[in-house]
Amino acid sequence: MTQYPNLKEIEGRPMRSWNMDGLQEMIMGILWILWGGLWLLGQELPKGKLYQAYWLVVPAMLALSGFAGNWVVRRLKERVTFPRSGYVALREPTRQERLGTALLAIVVAAILAIVVLRTRTEGVAHLITPVVGVILSLAFVVASLKQRAPHFLVLAGVALALGIAFGALHTGWESLNWLFVVLGVVAAVSGAIRLSRFVREHGVPVEGA
Amino acid sequence: MNDLDRVIHEPARLLIVALLASVKESDFLWLQKESALTKGNLSSHLGKLEEAGYVEVEKSFRGKIPLTVLRLTAGGRTAFAEYKRQMNGLLGKAGA
């Protein structure tokens, strides 16, 4: 071996390796189906005690679902991924990276707040779906470039197309919920396909590590 | 060029150090798959890196399966950062 490694390319490998099994994508998709689906279901309930109880429990449950999703991903990785491709723990983000993420979140929140404040109520409801579609699409483009994962570009295209299409229906907040449900189905199916390919291509070594 | 850290400068060890620098920790299997080195070759290079104090090796069991967890020490991270700084300097001079 005389060739020197490309250090820039190596930096992106852990994240690529982390997402190679499609588990993260699949669980994220299932969470989005839950978010959109439970919200849609709640709107169909007749007003009464059940409606009140539903809206008391479900938002809190959905808020915690992100943590539950992470826990499920970790447990599944321990059972499926690590025995096949090896165990890896991602590096903790540096202070600079944490600050950058916080700054980005503040900018996105500020843009959304400006859109909400400057538009009338029905206008916000009609704008929110395409805006969320664009934000999700950009997030997938960044993930694709950072991890050199071209399949995220497909999800970026789907998020953008769905955001515009559901936004054009002018059905208000319902569109946003449908965006999450359909995008969730696409992400879950794409993740499941990647997971099955990963399991097929990576056998469990006979000897331990 | 003489000031370059010879332990890290060897291509296979540079690959190992760069991989470990990009994660918190990994096991032997992950490192072997990512580096595409043979078991023996990887073990030998890890031994040299451990000897230099750059890599920490933790042997344990997950159930009945032996597990070797590897991580770069603080000294290893500093040495790698210094190596990159020196290389960037050299490449800068060569480009000038």
Side-chain angles (χ1 to χ4, degrees):
Chain A
M1 184 171 178
T2 49
Q3 203 180 354
Y4 274 84
N6 177 352
L7 300 183
K8 201 79 201 147
E9 184 268 327
I10 289 171
E11 279 175 17
R13 280 202 212 174
M15 215 41 199
R16 199 163 66 236
S17 151
W18 186 261
N19 286 324
M20 185 172 59
D21 55 17
L23 273 172
Q24 185 103 24
E25 209 173 310
M26 194 174 78
I27 300 299
M28 181 184 70
I30 292 169
L31 282 181
W32 283 353
I33 295 169
L34 272 179
W35 292 355
L38 288 176
W39 221 264
L40 283 169
L41 183 73
Q43 284 161 359
E44 296 302 317
L45 288 176
K47 297 260 164 47
K49 279 189 177 171
L50 177 68
Y51 182 88
Q52 284 177 338
Y54 185 91
W55 284 113
L56 202 68
V57 173
V58 169
M61 216 174 79
L62 293 182
L64 294 174
S65 64
F67 297 105
N70 273 340
W71 184 84
V72 171
V73 168
R74 283 188 184 277
R75 295 291 88 79
L76 285 173
K77 277 192 178 287
E78 278 170 17
R79 293 184 75 93
V80 181
T81 315
F82 297 157
R84 290 177 164 81
S85 60
Y87 157 76
V88 62
L90 297 178
R91 188 173 52 81
E92 302 283 333
T94 60
R95 189 194 281 190
Q96 210 174 3
E97 286 166 340
R98 277 182 214 271
L99 277 174
T101 309
L103 199 68
L104 186 68
I106 290 168
V107 169
V108 171
I111 291 171
L112 281 176
I114 290 167
V115 170
V116 169
L117 290 174
R118 291 215 160 196
T119 327
R120 282 178 304 171
T121 317
E122 66 270 27
V124 172
H126 293 323
L127 265 181
I128 196 77
T129 309
V131 168
V132 170
V134 169
I135 292 172
L136 289 175
S137 178
L138 286 175
F140 278 125
V141 170
V142 171
S144 167
L145 294 175
K146 280 191 89 170
Q147 297 168 30
R148 295 191 182 184
H151 78 283
F152 279 148
L153 287 179
V154 178
L155 287 176
V158 172
L160 188 64
L162 287 175
I164 293 167
F166 281 124
L169 293 177
H170 288 281
T171 50
W173 290 92
E174 203 182 311
S175 303
L176 183 64
N177 295 325
W178 278 111
L179 168 71
F180 275 110
V181 170
V182 179
L183 190 58
V185 170
V186 175
V189 169
S190 151
I193 293 170
R194 289 172 66 76
L195 178 62
S196 92
R197 195 184 304 160
F198 172 82
V199 170
R200 244 192 350 263
E201 288 172 3
H202 297 81
V204 181
V206 182
E207 280 177 88
Chain B
M1 191 81 177
N2 283 339
D3 293 338
L4 278 177
D5 187 332
R6 290 279 147 196
V7 179
I8 295 184
H9 190 57
E10 200 281 331
R13 284 199 289 273
L14 178 58
L15 176 62
I16 294 167
V17 170
L19 280 167
L20 287 177
S22 64
V23 299
K24 189 177 156 200
E25 59 185 24
S26 84
D27 69 2
F28 190 91
L29 178 62
W30 185 81
L31 199 56
Q32 196 196 343
K33 290 209 170 195
E34 288 297 329
S35 65
L37 293 169
T38 62
K39 253 184 186 180
N41 212 351
L42 180 58
S43 290
S44 146
H45 286 302
L46 280 172
K48 281 180 186 144
L49 288 166
E50 196 183 4
E51 213 172 279
Y54 292 168
V55 168
E56 200 177 281
V57 182
E58 191 185 300
K59 289 183 189 256
S60 63
F61 281 87
R62 186 184 285 152
K64 287 180 179 173
I65 302 165
L67 180 73
T68 307
V69 173
L70 309 150
R71 64 183 75 90
L72 222 53
T73 60
R77 285 192 190 272
T78 311
F80 181 54
E82 176 64 16
Y83 173 83
K84 281 203 294 187
R85 198 187 59 76
Q86 285 179 325
M87 279 305 276
N88 285 337
L90 282 173
L91 291 173
K93 273 182 201 166

